[in-house]
Amino acid sequence: MQREIRVLGEARALKDAPAELVSMCRTGLDAIHLCIQLSGYGHYFIAEELGIDKGHMSRMMQGKAGFPTDKRIKLMELCGNRAPVQFEALGVGCELVELSKDAQIRALEKQLAALKAA
């Protein structure tokens, strides 16, 4: 299997993980494992990129320590998929909807206008 070569500091384009795989996850940790597995990267590479101690990463992957919530988005960006957040959405009966660039621009312009008016 050929792996995409990533330039350091460059995040992959985010894609949804296959829904059938996400639905097989029983826990949030399973979804994190899936996220990493789909990336093709090893746990220690992920730990280094996220600034997590390798021993702590090992404990997290065994379920003996919690994954830092402030690193979840960076994890998904690094791995190129949304498996953890898809799992959470599925758990509360929702699906993720990716905003179009036009919708994002409109939302940001609205925020800017509100800030200027304040």
Side-chain angles (χ1 to χ4, degrees):
M1 178 164 123
Q2 198 170 19
R3 200 169 79 173
E4 177 181 315
I5 297 176
R6 189 179 72 81
V7 177
L8 287 178
E10 178 185 318
R12 294 177 173 186
L14 279 173
K15 295 184 259 182
D16 284 346
E20 61 276 6
L21 295 179
V22 175
S23 68
M24 293 171 64
C25 294
R26 293 173 298 146
T27 66
L29 180 58
D30 288 347
I32 289 171
H33 277 286
L34 176 62
C35 182
I36 294 170
Q37 187 175 25
L38 291 173
S39 76
Y41 296 139
H43 292 147
Y44 293 133
F45 175 79
I46 298 291
E48 185 176 316
E49 290 292 305
L50 297 179
I52 298 171
D53 176 76
K54 290 180 181 181
H56 188 67
M57 183 72 166
S58 179
R59 288 188 296 281
M60 287 187 298
M61 294 298 100
Q62 295 171 25
K64 296 177 181 175
F67 195 89
T69 56
D70 63 331
K71 306 269 185 187
R72 289 168 47 87
I73 292 174
K74 181 71 177 163
L75 171 73
M76 290 182 276
E77 289 173 342
L78 179 62
C79 293
N81 69 78
R82 300 180 185 99
V85 74
Q86 285 175 258
F87 171 78
E88 289 179 356
L90 184 63
V92 293
C94 297
E95 290 182 1
L96 299 181
V97 177
E98 187 172 348
L99 297 176
S100 70
K101 287 186 181 184
D102 291 337
Q104 290 177 10
I105 290 169
R106 283 192 302 275
L108 290 171
E109 286 173 341
K110 186 176 178 179
Q111 281 182 319
L112 181 61
L115 287 172
K116 285 180 177 180

